[in-house]
Amino acid sequence: MKAVVLGGTSGMGRAIAQKLVERGDSVFLLGFPEADLEKSAADLKARHAKGETAKYAVLDLEKPEGFAAALDAADKALDDFDTMIVTAAMFATPEQMEDNIELLRRLVTVNYANTVVFCEHVKKRLLARGGGKLTVFSSVAGERGRKPVGVYGSSKAGLSIYLEALDHKHNAQGLDVLCVKPGFVKTGMTAGLKPPPFAGEPDQVARDVLAAMDAKKPVLYTPFMWALVMFIIRLLPRFVMRKINF
Amino acid sequence: MEGREILSENLERVTPGTVLMRGLGRSYGDSSLPAHPEDKVVATRLANRIIAFDPSTGVLRGEAGVSLVELNRSFLPRGWFTPVTPGTKYVTLGGMVASDVHGKNHHVAGCFGAHVRALKMRLADDSIVECGPDAEPELFWATVGGMGLTGHVLEVEFKMDKVTSPWIWRESTRVRDLGEYLDALNAAAPRWPMTVGWIDCVCKGSGMGRGILDAGRWATREEAGDALPKGGLSIKFPVDLPGWAVNDFTVGLFNTAYYWKQFESRITGLATSNQFFYPLDGILEWNRGYGKRGFTQYQCVIPRRAGVHAVTEFMQLLTKLGGASPLSVIKDCGPEGKGLLSFPLEGTSVAVDMVVTPELQKIVDRLNEFVIEVGGRIYLTKDRFTRPEHFRAMEPRLPAFLAAREKYDPERKLRSAQSVRLFGDKA
Ligand SMILES: Cc1cc2nc3c(=O)[nH]c(=O)nc-3n(C[C@H](O)[C@H](O)[C@H](O)COP(=O)(O)OP(=O)(O)OC[C@H]3O[C@@H](n4cnc5c(N)ncnc54)[C@H](O)[C@@H]3O)c2cc1C
Ligand SMILES: NC(=O)c1ccc[n+]([C@@H]2O[C@H](COP(=O)([O-])OP(=O)(O)OC[C@H]3O[C@@H](n4cnc5c(N)ncnc54)[C@H](OP(=O)(O)O)[C@@H]3O)[C@@H](O)[C@H]2O)c1
């Protein structure tokens, strides 16, 4: 596999990049800041089954004008990538955004609008070379309007629908779209929050994601228990959702 | 008690003002637990980047949260292995330094700290320093085995071993009683770089100490062939032991089953590293939250100069006190290392699992009194019950350690539940 990981410097993206190089795949990193990319690239080289060097380019999801150049760099380093994994996204609590509407604007822009724009760039390139894999991290938060993750969840809900339509439209052309819906995973993103039951670890998620990519699945709930949890949450009537704080 | 756990990839950013670090929480004792619910504990497991690896020398530098699971997965297929591994691979580099862990090769390789070349640390005054055997040696040797009380380890540099294949050539021998076991352990030491054994200390009378001695070395290319060992589950034990069911009955059953599984008196052959080094990783569920565990461990070392009879007496005492233990691991230790509180000393180490009951304090006290009498000591990383006066009595090196703490953390900002219990730090 010739994979690009946007967000591969931390959390679940890091765990996925590490697993890819350990099994011998080539990896290119996108994200920021540059110092962090450089450190992660060194880690991937040390772990690579064949000692291959990992390259990187800076990409900020708030700056769509830089997308094409960053993807050019990835194509050049990998001699045309065939796989794109997007884990980068923002998170903020309702309280943080209540006081800071600018933060809210940035979050919905990064997580929805700019991620979709980025995927459109990637889609074009992959389709032009006969297909490939596009794996994007959405969230179980996009399944139901829940009090603690309302705005964030709505950005992920939009993303999930976009990815579903992308799969419907381009699957026949060889584009394997995977929409990953993690439940609560213990990463830097959720560090200040109290982990609920069934909270997962990045390593476990990475294993699930690679298996789902290899099996060409369109949707993945991970850790698996969250598929059941969300099944129940989706069934809860509105008067219950108004009462509970989950 | 978890305290306020801080989880981050960036240890440099989050460590100022924090009182303790924690790796994967595999210590059985209270050393990775905070003294106070408001204390900030940094969990290192997301800081798991390898910073550099030089394949011409084997020198590896990694962030404190790099775990042995990862190192084994990525480096063993390429012929590299950590110079020292404890009996679980779910440990971090930071935890291996802080406990100065020992493995089956202690009699030839010493502890992990002996292979460490440099540490990057965040000290109590929030400064960052680099130390090693030659740079700030006092800080370095106080940190090796210092249970996190001298500073936060951010990065660890050590030398990996080149191994001949990813397989172990193993010889398991069944022994009938403790005397035979200790003789066999002695006889194996010069011939095998790795030895350890399991004995049954529930069975009373003449069968006491019946068990299995496991010896091993890295297999040669010819012995191993080309196949790579598959990852996945470790060896399956004949009896599944839920923690809450550990009593004399299940323990007896377990030991009998394990003993008789080795129906031949000697078995030799290839084993995977998981089977040989980490038989417990497959059966024990460790991620259960801190401080809620229903069992703990007691580990001590009986010095060689106290004589073989001291080991026998200790085992008799253990059996008499009834600290049920499915897993009594007995291992010979080589000479004491340089870590100021490092556990091993030349002699025989005994580790037993214990169920936490109201009587446990009394049992531990009684065992400790015996250990003090024969000049031995306990392993801090496994300890949750030792009294401060007992620890002082068994640890002549304690003043040197406390002097280093006085120098590097005069206000005792860094502390754990263990340091409050044993060293009288403020909670
Ligand atoms: C099944 C099993 C078998 C074992 N076998 C052995 C064995 O054979 N030999 C042996 O020696 N030990 C053994 N152990 C004990 C284990 O190796 C040690 O407790 C080890 O320190 C655990 O590492 P950890 O990363 O989980 O650290 P934790 O348990 O999280 O922490 C242990 C100590 O290290 C400190 N610490 C952790 N990270 C840092 C850091 N970055 N900077 C400063 N301090 C830090 C903590 O404050 C604490 O005092 C075994 C444990 C288990 C569960
Ligand atoms: N953790 C969970 O419980 C959970 C649950 C459901 C879904 N998810 C989703 O899973 C994905 C991975 O999250 P994670 O938990 O692994 O968290 P993470 O470690 O914080 O990863 C998110 C990454 O996105 C990067 N990022 C943020 N803004 C960016 C921007 N404008 N441009 C480029 N990169 C940017 C972050 O960089 P910086 O660190 O430099 O900001 C970080 O590296 C995310 O899409 C998240 O929404 C997470």
Side-chain angles (χ1 to χ4, degrees):
Chain A
M1 229 193 264
K2 295 190 281 185
V4 183
V5 188
L6 166 51
T9 51
S10 71
M12 294 182 262
R14 178 190 287 188
I16 290 173
Q18 289 171 336
K19 282 213 168 0
L20 285 171
V21 298
E22 281 168 13
R23 68 182 205 186
D25 291 324
S26 302
V27 169
F28 186 91
L29 294 171
L30 290 176
F32 69 87
E34 186 156 358
D36 223 13
L37 289 163
E38 194 182 328
K39 278 194 184 160
S40 279
D43 172 56
L44 295 181
K45 178 177 158 58
R47 289 174 188 251
H48 198 287
K50 299 176 210 115
E52 207 175 279
T53 305
K55 297 205 169 123
Y56 57 84
V58 172
L59 185 140
D60 182 348
L61 273 173
E62 295 197 72
K63 298 181 180 147
E65 62 278 11
F67 292 178
L71 289 170
D72 285 344
D75 268 339
K76 186 156 168 255
L78 293 178
D79 188 16
D80 289 357
F81 62 85
D82 55 28
T83 300
M84 173 64 70
I85 298 159
V86 182
T87 63
M90 287 172 67
F91 180 81
T93 61
E95 296 74 36
Q96 288 163 333
M97 289 185 283
E98 200 75 50
D99 300 337
N100 187 347
I101 293 198
E102 172 56 14
L103 176 64
L104 183 149
R105 186 197 62 75
R106 287 176 54 210
L107 184 141
V108 291
T109 309
V110 164
N111 287 7
Y112 178 67
N114 290 358
T115 300
V116 169
V117 171
F118 181 77
C119 289
E120 286 293 301
H121 280 276
V122 172
K123 173 193 85 178
K124 277 212 188 97
R125 289 182 194 231
L126 289 179
L127 287 176
R129 50 191 78 140
K133 290 185 194 298
L134 174 59
T135 296
V136 183
F137 274 56
S138 182
S139 171
V140 295
E143 305 268 287
R144 191 84 207 259
R146 292 191 284 124
K147 287 180 193 169
V149 285
V151 174
Y152 168 82
S154 73
S155 73
K156 294 293 193 181
L159 184 60
S160 295
I161 296 289
Y162 164 75
L163 293 168
E164 184 183 4
L166 205 61
D167 169 66
H168 292 166
K169 191 159 169 209
H170 294 296
N171 183 265
Q173 291 157 278
L175 188 67
D176 297 322
V177 178
L178 170 61
C179 174
V180 181
K181 298 181 180 180
F184 191 103
V185 183
K186 294 183 208 161
T187 66
M189 188 175 270
T190 53
L193 312 172
K194 193 176 155 45
F198 319 122
E201 297 285 345
D203 202 62
Q204 177 189 6
V205 170
R207 212 177 326 135
D208 288 356
V209 169
L210 292 197
M213 287 171 70
D214 292 341
K216 301 191 173 185
K217 291 209 176 118
V219 177
L220 169 71
Y221 289 86
T222 171
F224 179 73
M225 270 312 282
W226 286 88
L228 305 177
V229 173
M230 293 322 291
F231 177 75
I232 293 163
I233 300 271
R234 278 195 303 271
L235 291 178
L236 293 179
R238 192 175 284 260
F239 77 88
V240 176
M241 292 300 287
R242 281 180 177 156
K243 286 227 169 63
I244 60 176
N245 281 318
F246 179 71
Chain B
M1 193 195 309
E2 279 199 46
R4 286 172 46 202
E5 184 172 280
I6 297 173
L7 189 62
S8 171
E9 274 92 358
N10 192 334
L11 298 182
E12 272 190 40
R13 197 183 64 210
V14 297
T15 38
T18 55
V19 306
L20 192 66
M21 267 197 172
R22 161 187 301 159
L24 287 166
R26 255 50 181 193
S27 44
Y28 290 73
D30 50 5
S31 68
S32 69
L33 306 177
H36 189 273
E38 286 302 306
D39 279 353
K40 290 188 200 148
V41 184
V42 175
T44 62
R45 62 187 188 272
L46 290 183
N48 70 339
R49 278 195 286 223
I50 295 165
I51 291 160
F53 175 66
D54 181 350
S56 66
T57 58
V59 172
L60 186 147
R61 190 179 181 95
E63 292 175 329
V66 170
S67 71
L68 276 189
V69 198
E70 301 172 82
L71 285 189
N72 294 354
R73 200 173 63 203
S74 144
F75 286 89
L76 188 53
R78 290 184 272 156
W80 297 99
F81 196 70
T82 174
V84 169
T85 177
T88 171
K89 57 185 181 298
Y90 297 102
V91 292
T92 61
L93 294 182
M96 288 167 71
V97 169
S99 299
D100 198 16
V101 297
H102 59 274
K104 296 182 177 192
N105 59 357
H106 187 268
H107 59 289
V108 295
C111 287
F112 185 67
H115 305 265
V116 174
R117 300 158 56 110
L119 299 175
K120 183 175 179 182
M121 296 183 62
R122 161 88 63 197
L123 301 186
D125 66 3
D126 285 346
S127 64
I128 288 189
V129 298
E130 180 92 9
C131 67
D134 305 317
E136 302 244 21
E138 185 186 6
L139 174 64
F140 179 75
W141 292 117
T143 303
V144 166
M147 306 316 294
L149 298 173
T150 53
H152 303 312
V153 175
L154 307 176
E155 293 175 7
V156 179
E157 186 176 302
F158 67 105
K159 200 161 167 313
M160 299 269 276
D161 277 352
K162 186 88 194 147
V163 296
T164 43
S165 81
W167 294 87
I168 297 288
W169 185 262
R170 160 200 233 167
E171 181 184 280
S172 306
T173 313
R174 202 171 54 167
V175 288
R176 275 190 310 259
D177 58 42
L178 188 60
E180 192 180 319
Y181 179 89
L182 293 173
D183 287 344
L185 195 57
N186 260 336
R191 292 190 298 124
W192 296 89
M194 298 181 268
T195 56
V196 77
W198 312 71
I199 70 149
D200 174 350
C201 65
V202 172
C203 177
K204 299 185 179 144
S206 65
M208 192 187 99
R210 63 184 184 171
I212 290 148
L213 178 72
D214 237 4
R217 57 170 167 77
W218 292 99
T220 61
R221 279 268 166 83
E222 296 70 45
E223 287 163 343
D226 287 334
L228 281 183
K230 291 225 172 60
L233 274 183
S234 320
I235 190 171
K236 278 267 189 320
F237 271 69
V239 187
D240 226 23
L241 272 184
W244 46 265
V246 182
N247 58 35
D248 275 347
F249 175 71
T250 50
V251 167
L253 189 70
F254 173 85
N255 277 346
T256 310
Y258 188 59
Y259 184 70
W260 289 111
K261 200 181 118 222
Q262 309 254 347
F263 39 85
E264 284 170 49
S265 59
R266 174 163 297 169
I267 300 176
T268 48
L270 289 176
T272 65
S273 64
N274 279 341
Q275 289 167 338
F276 186 72
F277 292 113
Y278 314 116
L280 291 181
D281 281 348
I283 56 162
L284 288 182
E285 182 28 282
W286 274 91
N287 280 326
R288 251 192 239 138
Y290 304 94
K292 284 182 221 148
R293 291 173 204 139
F295 66 103
T296 182
Q297 240 193 29
Y298 182 86
Q299 182 168 3
C300 65
V301 55
I302 313 273
R304 181 132 312 140
R305 58 187 145 70
V308 175
H309 67 275
V311 180
T312 316
E313 275 170 40
F314 179 82
M315 296 310 293
Q316 277 161 350
L317 178 64
L318 193 64
T319 311
K320 194 178 98 203
L321 293 172
S325 164
L327 306 165
S328 311
V329 181
I330 299 201
K331 159 86 191 116
D332 52 337
C333 293
E336 180 176 283
K338 286 195 189 161
L340 291 184
L341 285 188
S342 175
F343 162 68
L345 55 76
E346 183 123 32
T348 309
S349 142
V350 181
V352 284
D353 278 16
M354 299 198 143
V355 187
V356 178
T357 59
E359 289 83 59
L360 187 57
Q361 181 67 56
K362 255 191 263 148
I363 297 178
V364 170
D365 288 346
R366 188 61 203 94
L367 294 174
N368 281 341
E369 282 158 13
F370 182 91
V371 169
I372 292 166
E373 222 171 279
V374 298
R377 62 168 80 116
I378 54 140
Y379 192 6
L380 282 180
T381 207
K382 312 247 170 127
D383 181 58
R384 193 144 54 109
F385 292 95
T386 292
R387 295 178 190 278
E389 60 275 20
H390 281 165
F391 188 70
R392 273 199 302 275
M394 59 179 76
E395 197 43 273
R397 302 168 303 174
L398 187 57
F401 177 76
L402 294 179
R405 267 192 102 195
E406 184 60 32
K407 178 166 166 193
Y408 291 100
D409 181 13
E411 292 163 48
R412 303 290 190 273
K413 286 186 192 158
L414 308 184
R415 58 185 185 269
S416 62
Q418 187 168 70
S419 78
V420 168
R421 174 170 56 86
L422 287 180
F423 308 135
D425 293 350
K426 270 206 301 290

mmCIF file of all heavy atoms in Angstrom, chain A residues 158-178:
data_model
loop_
_atom_site.group_PDB
_atom_site.id
_atom_site.type_symbol
_atom_site.label_atom_id
_atom_site.label_comp_id
_atom_site.label_asym_id
_atom_site.label_seq_id
_atom_site.Cartn_x
_atom_site.Cartn_y
_atom_site.Cartn_z
ATOM 1 N N GLY A 158 -22.780 15.367 8.860
ATOM 2 C CA GLY A 158 -22.656 15.809 7.476
ATOM 3 C C GLY A 158 -21.583 15.022 6.748
ATOM 4 O O GLY A 158 -21.778 14.567 5.610
ATOM 5 N N LEU A 159 -20.459 14.827 7.424
ATOM 6 C CA LEU A 159 -19.347 14.104 6.819
ATOM 7 C C LEU A 159 -19.749 12.656 6.502
ATOM 8 O O LEU A 159 -19.438 12.127 5.432
ATOM 9 C CB LEU A 159 -18.142 14.132 7.776
ATOM 10 C CG LEU A 159 -16.842 13.514 7.288
ATOM 11 C CD1 LEU A 159 -16.343 14.230 6.025
ATOM 12 C CD2 LEU A 159 -15.765 13.587 8.382
ATOM 13 N N SER A 160 -20.457 12.015 7.438
ATOM 14 C CA SER A 160 -20.868 10.617 7.219
ATOM 15 C C SER A 160 -21.760 10.500 5.987
ATOM 16 O O SER A 160 -21.614 9.583 5.187
ATOM 17 C CB SER A 160 -21.636 10.083 8.438
ATOM 18 O OG SER A 160 -20.808 10.032 9.566
ATOM 19 N N ILE A 161 -22.703 11.427 5.854
ATOM 20 C CA ILE A 161 -23.623 11.377 4.694
ATOM 21 C C ILE A 161 -22.842 11.597 3.399
ATOM 22 O O ILE A 161 -23.049 10.911 2.397
ATOM 23 C CB ILE A 161 -24.731 12.452 4.826
ATOM 24 C CG1 ILE A 161 -25.612 12.158 6.039
ATOM 25 C CG2 ILE A 161 -25.582 12.516 3.549
ATOM 26 C CD1 ILE A 161 -26.516 10.959 5.899
ATOM 27 N N TYR A 162 -21.910 12.551 3.420
ATOM 28 C CA TYR A 162 -21.077 12.794 2.241
ATOM 29 C C TYR A 162 -20.331 11.509 1.849
ATOM 30 O O TYR A 162 -20.306 11.116 0.683
ATOM 31 C CB TYR A 162 -20.089 13.932 2.530
ATOM 32 C CG TYR A 162 -18.957 13.991 1.536
ATOM 33 C CD1 TYR A 162 -19.156 14.483 0.244
ATOM 34 C CD2 TYR A 162 -17.679 13.519 1.873
ATOM 35 C CE1 TYR A 162 -18.114 14.509 -0.682
ATOM 36 C CE2 TYR A 162 -16.643 13.543 0.964
ATOM 37 C CZ TYR A 162 -16.868 14.030 -0.312
ATOM 38 O OH TYR A 162 -15.841 14.038 -1.242
ATOM 39 N N LEU A 163 -19.740 10.851 2.850
ATOM 40 C CA LEU A 163 -18.944 9.650 2.567
ATOM 41 C C LEU A 163 -19.826 8.516 2.052
ATOM 42 O O LEU A 163 -19.428 7.737 1.179
ATOM 43 C CB LEU A 163 -18.186 9.204 3.821
ATOM 44 C CG LEU A 163 -17.087 10.167 4.290
ATOM 45 C CD1 LEU A 163 -16.601 9.796 5.680
ATOM 46 C CD2 LEU A 163 -15.918 10.185 3.302
ATOM 47 N N GLU A 164 -21.041 8.431 2.597
ATOM 48 C CA GLU A 164 -21.976 7.395 2.138
ATOM 49 C C GLU A 164 -22.315 7.607 0.659
ATOM 50 O O GLU A 164 -22.261 6.676 -0.149
ATOM 51 C CB GLU A 164 -23.251 7.424 2.985
ATOM 52 C CG GLU A 164 -24.218 6.304 2.627
ATOM 53 C CD GLU A 164 -25.525 6.364 3.423
ATOM 54 O OE1 GLU A 164 -25.721 7.314 4.208
ATOM 55 O OE2 GLU A 164 -26.346 5.444 3.252
ATOM 56 N N ALA A 165 -22.595 8.866 0.308
ATOM 57 C CA ALA A 165 -22.934 9.164 -1.082
ATOM 58 C C ALA A 165 -21.743 8.907 -2.004
ATOM 59 O O ALA A 165 -21.895 8.405 -3.127
ATOM 60 C CB ALA A 165 -23.395 10.617 -1.204
ATOM 61 N N LEU A 166 -20.542 9.234 -1.505
ATOM 62 C CA LEU A 166 -19.331 9.016 -2.298
ATOM 63 C C LEU A 166 -19.168 7.526 -2.616
ATOM 64 O O LEU A 166 -18.825 7.136 -3.734
ATOM 65 C CB LEU A 166 -18.126 9.512 -1.487
ATOM 66 C CG LEU A 166 -16.870 9.928 -2.234
ATOM 67 C CD1 LEU A 166 -17.162 11.097 -3.161
ATOM 68 C CD2 LEU A 166 -15.783 10.329 -1.224
ATOM 69 N N ASP A 167 -19.446 6.708 -1.615
ATOM 70 C CA ASP A 167 -19.373 5.251 -1.803
ATOM 71 C C ASP A 167 -20.411 4.802 -2.824
ATOM 72 O O ASP A 167 -20.102 4.053 -3.752
ATOM 73 C CB ASP A 167 -19.590 4.549 -0.456
ATOM 74 C CG ASP A 167 -19.800 3.053 -0.614
ATOM 75 O OD1 ASP A 167 -18.846 2.378 -1.043
ATOM 76 O OD2 ASP A 167 -20.925 2.581 -0.335
ATOM 77 N N HIS A 168 -21.644 5.286 -2.664
ATOM 78 C CA HIS A 168 -22.704 4.881 -3.595
ATOM 79 C C HIS A 168 -22.313 5.228 -5.032
ATOM 80 O O HIS A 168 -22.504 4.449 -5.945
ATOM 81 C CB HIS A 168 -24.024 5.587 -3.254
ATOM 82 C CG HIS A 168 -24.599 5.111 -1.942
ATOM 83 N ND1 HIS A 168 -25.612 5.776 -1.283
ATOM 84 C CD2 HIS A 168 -24.303 4.035 -1.169
ATOM 85 C CE1 HIS A 168 -25.908 5.137 -0.168
ATOM 86 N NE2 HIS A 168 -25.131 4.077 -0.075
ATOM 87 N N LYS A 169 -21.753 6.433 -5.184
ATOM 88 C CA LYS A 169 -21.486 6.921 -6.522
ATOM 89 C C LYS A 169 -20.266 6.278 -7.174
ATOM 90 O O LYS A 169 -20.275 5.983 -8.370
ATOM 91 C CB LYS A 169 -21.308 8.444 -6.461
ATOM 92 C CG LYS A 169 -21.285 9.089 -7.832
ATOM 93 C CD LYS A 169 -21.623 10.573 -7.755
ATOM 94 C CE LYS A 169 -21.340 11.248 -9.085
ATOM 95 N NZ LYS A 169 -20.999 12.658 -8.900
ATOM 96 N N HIS A 170 -19.194 6.052 -6.406
ATOM 97 C CA HIS A 170 -17.927 5.699 -7.048
ATOM 98 C C HIS A 170 -17.418 4.301 -6.744
ATOM 99 O O HIS A 170 -16.339 3.925 -7.195
ATOM 100 C CB HIS A 170 -16.847 6.714 -6.667
ATOM 101 C CG HIS A 170 -17.126 8.086 -7.204
ATOM 102 N ND1 HIS A 170 -17.164 8.370 -8.544
ATOM 103 C CD2 HIS A 170 -17.415 9.248 -6.554
ATOM 104 C CE1 HIS A 170 -17.435 9.651 -8.712
ATOM 105 N NE2 HIS A 170 -17.610 10.203 -7.523
ATOM 106 N N ASN A 171 -18.167 3.543 -5.970
ATOM 107 C CA ASN A 171 -17.693 2.200 -5.626
ATOM 108 C C ASN A 171 -17.412 1.373 -6.880
ATOM 109 O O ASN A 171 -16.399 0.673 -6.965
ATOM 110 C CB ASN A 171 -18.705 1.498 -4.727
ATOM 111 C CG ASN A 171 -18.207 0.138 -4.284
ATOM 112 O OD1 ASN A 171 -18.521 -0.880 -4.892
ATOM 113 N ND2 ASN A 171 -17.377 0.123 -3.241
ATOM 114 N N ALA A 172 -18.303 1.489 -7.857
ATOM 115 C CA ALA A 172 -18.149 0.694 -9.089
ATOM 116 C C ALA A 172 -16.896 1.083 -9.854
ATOM 117 O O ALA A 172 -16.359 0.286 -10.633
ATOM 118 C CB ALA A 172 -19.387 0.865 -9.974
ATOM 119 N N GLN A 173 -16.404 2.308 -9.601
ATOM 120 C CA GLN A 173 -15.193 2.744 -10.309
ATOM 121 C C GLN A 173 -13.914 2.401 -9.548
ATOM 122 O O GLN A 173 -12.835 2.864 -9.897
ATOM 123 C CB GLN A 173 -15.250 4.255 -10.542
ATOM 124 C CG GLN A 173 -16.309 4.662 -11.556
ATOM 125 C CD GLN A 173 -16.704 6.115 -11.344
ATOM 126 O OE1 GLN A 173 -17.518 6.430 -10.476
ATOM 127 N NE2 GLN A 173 -16.112 6.991 -12.121
ATOM 128 N N GLY A 174 -14.066 1.615 -8.486
ATOM 129 C CA GLY A 174 -12.878 1.160 -7.777
ATOM 130 C C GLY A 174 -12.466 2.047 -6.619
ATOM 131 O O GLY A 174 -11.384 1.899 -6.061
ATOM 132 N N LEU A 175 -13.316 2.992 -6.232
ATOM 133 C CA LEU A 175 -13.001 3.814 -5.061
ATOM 134 C C LEU A 175 -13.613 3.145 -3.824
ATOM 135 O O LEU A 175 -14.826 3.039 -3.716
ATOM 136 C CB LEU A 175 -13.558 5.232 -5.240
ATOM 137 C CG LEU A 175 -13.135 6.236 -4.162
ATOM 138 C CD1 LEU A 175 -11.647 6.526 -4.223
ATOM 139 C CD2 LEU A 175 -13.929 7.541 -4.296
ATOM 140 N N ASP A 176 -12.755 2.670 -2.919
ATOM 141 C CA ASP A 176 -13.250 2.024 -1.702
ATOM 142 C C ASP A 176 -13.290 3.054 -0.586
ATOM 143 O O ASP A 176 -12.252 3.387 0.006
ATOM 144 C CB ASP A 176 -12.331 0.872 -1.295
ATOM 145 C CG ASP A 176 -12.293 -0.218 -2.351
ATOM 146 O OD1 ASP A 176 -13.348 -0.500 -2.945
ATOM 147 O OD2 ASP A 176 -11.202 -0.768 -2.597
ATOM 148 N N VAL A 177 -14.479 3.544 -0.301
ATOM 149 C CA VAL A 177 -14.627 4.546 0.755
ATOM 150 C C VAL A 177 -14.948 3.834 2.063
ATOM 151 O O VAL A 177 -15.819 2.966 2.104
ATOM 152 C CB VAL A 177 -15.759 5.538 0.407
ATOM 153 C CG1 VAL A 177 -15.949 6.543 1.532
ATOM 154 C CG2 VAL A 177 -15.466 6.243 -0.901
ATOM 155 N N LEU A 178 -14.212 4.192 3.117
ATOM 156 C CA LEU A 178 -14.523 3.653 4.448
ATOM 157 C C LEU A 178 -14.797 4.821 5.385
ATOM 158 O O LEU A 178 -13.957 5.704 5.561
ATOM 159 C CB LEU A 178 -13.348 2.812 4.983
ATOM 160 C CG LEU A 178 -13.430 2.386 6.452
ATOM 161 C CD1 LEU A 178 -14.650 1.506 6.718
ATOM 162 C CD2 LEU A 178 -12.153 1.667 6.888
#
